Amino acid sequence: MQTQPLLRQTKPMNTPVIDQTKLESFVMRAIGDLSASSGGILISLGHKLGLYKALAGAGPLTSQELADRASCAERYVREWLNGQVAGGYVQYHAVSSTYELTPEQAMVLADEDSPVFIPHAWSVQASMWFDEDKAAHAFRSGKGVGWGEHHDRLYCGVAAFYRNAYKGSLVAQWLPALEGVVEKLEAGIEVADVGCGHGHSTLLMARAFPKSRFHGYDVHQPSIQEARGLAAEDGLEGNAEFEVARATDYPDRKYGLICFFDCLHDMGDPVAAAQYAAKVLSPDGTVLLVEPFANDRTEDNISPVARLYYTGSTMLCCPHAVSEGGHMVLGAQAGEARLAEVFRKAGFSHFRCAVKTPFNLVLEARR
């Protein structure tokens, strides 16, 4: 008498049926993500070694020509170039065995003043890997990780990445979208930049509006020191100053404008921060709130940008908010409705979205 194979006898009744096509599709998606993340180190190296800058505007170059321009070893440069071609970051001309950076690629990879310059962002990703054990401990314990506890690559990466985005939009688009704010800045008002980091946003405004006085506040002492140095380099010490302070205890100067640039969602008590802003705001003052773009529902936040923001939120934003007590941990994908509720609770009667981009929500609040 024949018996069934042992595997069939012991196979669980609820074993799922695997759709091979779906499996292969998902595996290739995961491999694509792995490929993209591994390419990040080559992008960072290309920036630090000056390879992108040496390619930009030079026309087709051989690997040896690029190596000579960047003072690097040809064999390494050739492998790096082929990796860039494989990822679509550099063009390859097979007939001449040469490599070329298009003007569009140069804007993203070689022009450090471009609003879409990306290499600095990879320092942020690197810092997250360095801090993986801290994140795992936070997950298990429920405790926070303060901003100052992260790897050093985080601070320069964040500051440099946001500097270019703000440089392209803050003075030219975001401030003019607020009701009457540019006119007040031109006449001269006190401005608070809360959570200013290295002070790039503060200094951009100080340069554009010399009659106003700008005050940058942050809890991270090394960032404030860096901001002071940048202000001195730019000759802006006359109308820009920086102090270590929290979002609930910076000096009361009856500000005509209070700014929160990509930071309110990091705070342990955003309602308290908004309440304090209401307290130190002049009667006709405005709050400018810039936050990562997000829709209000999870099912509407399915995109590469949302995934990027959720990652940063998991590793950086939520841990810092928890470290500050975690009264309301908004996360980087809070959305307009939740942010409006924060300001409603803080006593503001006016709240609107002034500008919406694929990357930012620019919001205006008044008492």
Side-chain angles (χ1 to χ4, degrees):
M1 178 178 175
Q2 291 183 333
T3 60
Q4 296 292 325
L6 181 61
L7 181 62
R8 292 186 180 179
Q9 292 176 358
T10 59
K11 184 177 180 180
M13 296 296 293
N14 62 347
T15 299
V17 177
I18 300 297
D19 184 313
Q20 195 64 27
T21 300
K22 291 181 179 180
L23 174 62
E24 291 175 2
S25 175
F26 187 71
V27 166
M28 290 310 298
R29 178 171 184 167
I31 292 296
D33 289 343
L34 182 62
S35 170
S37 62
S38 66
I41 184 60
L42 296 188
I43 295 170
S44 184
L45 275 173
H47 166 59
K48 290 182 177 180
L49 294 171
L51 292 166
Y52 291 123
K53 283 190 175 181
L55 268 174
L61 296 176
T62 66
S63 57
Q64 185 63 62
E65 288 170 334
L66 178 59
D68 292 343
R69 280 171 166 256
S71 300
C72 292
E74 185 277 335
R75 187 62 188 90
Y76 285 108
V77 170
R78 190 189 340 150
E79 208 70 5
W80 177 85
L81 279 166
N82 290 338
Q84 298 299 286
V85 171
Y89 277 59
V90 169
Q91 305 300 303
Y92 179 63
H93 305 291
V95 173
S96 57
S97 298
T98 56
Y99 304 83
E100 186 174 8
L101 205 62
T102 68
E104 295 77 18
Q105 290 168 333
M107 280 192 68
V108 177
L109 301 170
D111 182 359
E112 293 196 52
D113 290 324
S114 164
V116 292
F117 183 71
I118 203 73
H120 287 306
W122 285 100
S123 286
V124 180
Q125 308 305 309
S127 75
M128 293 183 194
W129 278 108
F130 281 121
D131 293 335
E132 182 185 14
D133 289 344
K134 292 180 181 178
H137 177 71
F139 266 68
R140 294 191 179 104
S141 67
K143 295 181 179 179
V145 181
W147 184 255
E149 298 178 61
H150 290 287
H151 190 273
D152 286 346
R153 290 191 70 171
L154 173 65
Y155 316 119
C156 290
V158 167
F161 180 67
Y162 280 107
R163 174 183 71 91
N164 284 21
Y166 296 157
K167 184 177 181 180
S169 301
L170 174 54
V171 174
Q173 300 172 20
W174 297 348
L175 290 173
L178 307 179
E179 296 178 8
V181 167
V182 168
E183 292 80 6
K184 292 175 183 176
L185 287 167
E186 290 173 340
I189 55 173
E190 299 286 331
V191 179
D193 187 355
V194 182
C196 66
H198 286 195
H200 290 301
S201 51
T202 322
L203 297 175
L204 283 168
M205 293 187 291
R207 190 177 298 111
F209 303 102
K211 290 185 179 180
S212 289
R213 185 159 182 82
F214 298 84
H215 310 270
Y217 304 111
D218 203 286
V219 296
H220 190 232
Q221 175 70 49
S223 290
I224 289 297
Q225 291 174 340
E226 180 69 18
R228 288 170 177 166
L230 291 172
E233 286 178 19
D234 290 350
L236 294 171
E237 293 171 295
N239 70 326
E241 62 180 24
F242 298 91
E243 300 176 45
V244 175
R246 295 175 299 175
T248 53
D249 66 3
Y250 52 94
D252 182 353
R253 293 187 169 95
K254 298 305 174 190
Y255 302 95
L257 177 66
I258 298 177
C259 305
F260 295 91
F261 291 107
D262 287 294
C263 66
L264 187 78
H265 65 268
D266 297 323
M267 298 175 184
D269 194 343
V271 173
Q275 286 173 334
Y276 189 78
K279 175 184 174 183
V280 299
L281 198 65
S282 68
D284 63 343
T286 299
V287 171
L288 167 59
L289 175 65
V290 178
E291 284 284 303
F293 175 83
N295 291 303
D296 292 322
R297 302 185 304 174
T298 299
E299 60 267 34
D300 295 327
N301 288 327
I302 301 174
S303 71
V305 173
R307 185 187 187 187
L308 187 68
Y309 286 155
Y310 275 124
T311 300
S313 189
T314 303
M315 298 294 289
L316 306 171
C317 309
C318 290
H320 181 74
V322 173
S323 78
E324 290 192 333
H327 300 281
M328 178 187 289
V329 182
L330 284 172
Q333 292 288 269
E336 186 177 345
R338 291 175 68 198
L339 295 167
E341 181 64 10
V342 167
F343 279 81
R344 186 195 66 78
K345 289 180 177 178
F348 285 80
S349 61
H350 171 88
F351 189 89
R352 73 178 182 97
C353 182
V355 178
K356 188 178 294 186
T357 79
F359 304 101
N360 292 103
L361 293 172
V362 179
L363 306 150
E364 175 189 79
R366 291 197 302 274
R367 291 187 298 178

